[in-house]
Amino acid sequence: MKAMVLNAPGGFDRIEAIESRDPGEPGPEEIRVAIKASSLNFHDLLVAAGMIPSDDQRVLMSDGAGVVEAVGDGVTEFAIGDHVVSGFFPQWLDGAPIPSVGNFAGTPGDGIDGFAATQVVRAATAFTHAPEGWSHAEAATITTAGLTAWRALVVNGGIKAGDTVLTLGTGGVSIAAIQIAKAMGATVIATSSSDDKLKRVQELGADHLINYRTTPEWGSAVQDLTDGRGVDHVVEVGGPGTLAQSINAVAVGGHIALIGVLTGRQGDIPTGALMAKQARLQGLIVGNRRQQQAYVAALNQTGIRPVIDRTFPFEQLADAFRYQESGQHFGKICVEW
């Protein structure tokens, strides 16, 4: 079996292809999956760069999509040949967040071995069915980025037709959020530092565009675009460096889904402005299995397909991370066996 592992203390030059022990046959309530693809997320980059400590020779990648090769006793949800996609928190099946999701101890590619391997044996509940007719690379975009956007807008945000959504940048979460928002009948205001990328999000349905490099006070620009009302939902992927502008942009009683830390892990928050807006600021990390199943059902109904910028062979995983770090991508970066 092939696997891509990270040697301590981390760094892209410490990623290595190895021959690993075959995982064997699945036990009761388990399935064996031939992994065909994964997709890169900011969390994966932090692990690979050594910014999140992990065990030596940790198998990388939180996302995994592939084909069921064998099923253990008691498994009725899956059959040999089914196309499946992994969950980010395999221990969180339904309901409110559970304590063990707070430290990533059970998250593939971080606390446990991930999906940069040709075969894995896991609990059947660690996977859901993939969307119908999707490639494995497309399905691999669901686990982290897609489900995060779904939870932000649909599960936590309760988005409805006529709402207004603000997205930041053109990474995987933001692109998925634009697609979900438009499918739900919302108006989308999208930001980016690149006019070329803004043209591409316009093609995806974004209604209003803001270049945050040329318009640094983009929160006020959002207020102008909404006649002083603000937006109902902000998909906040930046963190402390962008949160003040997001609070300015949100409507009174609106919702800010705090997802990312692209600008850092801590900083000043204008609490007075947040209180005056009576807005809901909610941190979230991906979602549970039940939410992923609902997201897949919605994808099957809407016909949404993910935007994949570029796909690398798994053996070039380090190069894929370097490309991700450069910020040139639009949408998702994937790797395939």
Side-chain angles (χ1 to χ4, degrees):
M1 183 187 83
K2 294 180 180 178
M4 301 299 298
V5 300
L6 181 69
N7 294 297
F12 303 153
D13 293 336
R14 304 284 291 171
I15 297 174
E16 178 186 6
I18 66 167
E19 288 291 332
S20 183
R21 183 171 59 87
D22 187 279
E25 294 302 310
E29 309 296 338
E30 292 181 334
I31 59 176
R32 176 184 169 113
V33 178
I35 299 297
K36 302 296 184 180
S38 184
S39 76
L40 278 64
N41 303 286
F42 188 64
H43 183 86
D44 297 301
L45 186 146
L46 292 178
V47 174
M51 299 175 69
I52 297 178
S54 65
D55 294 342
D56 194 32
Q57 294 220 318
R58 168 68 72 223
V59 179
L60 292 166
M61 308 308 290
S62 295
D63 302 356
V67 181
V68 177
E69 291 186 322
V71 299
D73 291 342
V75 175
T76 58
E77 185 176 356
F78 301 107
I80 294 172
D82 283 352
H83 288 203
V84 295
V85 58
S86 65
F88 189 84
F89 291 120
Q91 74 277 36
W92 182 22
L93 303 183
D94 198 1
I98 58 179
S100 62
V101 306
N103 60 8
F104 302 105
T107 297
D110 187 342
I112 62 175
D113 281 339
F115 293 103
T118 49
Q119 285 89 23
V120 300
V121 171
R122 302 286 165 89
T125 51
F127 292 88
T128 69
H129 287 280
E132 298 168 5
W134 280 31
S135 70
H136 297 301
E138 287 176 319
T141 68
I142 289 173
T143 301
T144 303
L147 183 56
T148 296
W150 174 261
R151 182 180 168 199
L153 292 176
V154 178
V155 179
N156 291 354
I159 190 173
K160 61 186 182 300
D163 281 356
T164 305
V165 175
L166 172 64
T167 62
L168 310 185
T170 55
V173 173
S174 298
I175 295 299
I178 292 170
Q179 294 175 303
I180 293 167
K182 294 308 297 181
M184 299 295 288
T187 297
V188 173
I189 302 173
T191 71
S192 173
S193 62
S194 164
D195 288 337
D196 289 339
K197 290 182 177 180
L198 286 172
K199 291 178 183 177
R200 295 184 67 183
V201 296
Q202 188 173 39
E203 293 170 358
L204 290 175
D207 301 277
H208 304 286
L209 313 173
I210 299 173
N211 186 315
Y212 62 77
R213 183 165 293 164
T214 58
T215 308
E217 296 297 320
W218 45 268
S220 296
V222 169
Q223 288 289 334
D224 292 341
L225 287 170
T226 57
D227 296 324
R229 180 182 179 276
V231 295
D232 300 290
H233 310 273
V234 182
V235 182
E236 170 54 79
V237 299
T242 55
L243 189 53
Q245 292 296 322
S246 291
I247 292 172
N248 186 12
V250 76
V252 172
H255 168 235
I256 302 173
L258 182 58
I259 293 163
V261 291
L262 296 178
T263 63
R265 294 174 179 265
Q266 61 185 19
D268 295 332
I269 298 175
T271 52
L274 183 63
M275 291 171 61
K277 289 290 183 76
Q278 301 184 61
R280 177 162 54 101
L281 174 63
Q282 182 167 2
L284 68 92
I285 301 173
V286 198
N288 63 40
R289 186 174 192 261
R290 179 76 63 169
Q291 291 161 0
Q292 181 163 308
Q293 290 172 315
Y295 179 42
V296 170
L299 292 169
N300 286 333
Q301 288 295 316
T302 61
I304 291 172
R305 301 297 279 258
V307 176
I308 297 177
D309 180 283
R310 187 173 171 186
T311 300
F312 291 77
F314 258 110
E315 291 85 354
Q316 296 178 18
L317 182 56
D319 291 334
F321 279 122
R322 293 185 182 99
Y323 180 61
Q324 180 188 20
E325 189 178 47
S326 75
Q328 300 176 53
H329 59 289
F330 180 91
K332 293 294 291 180
I333 303 166
C334 295
V335 285
E336 291 181 323
W337 289 114

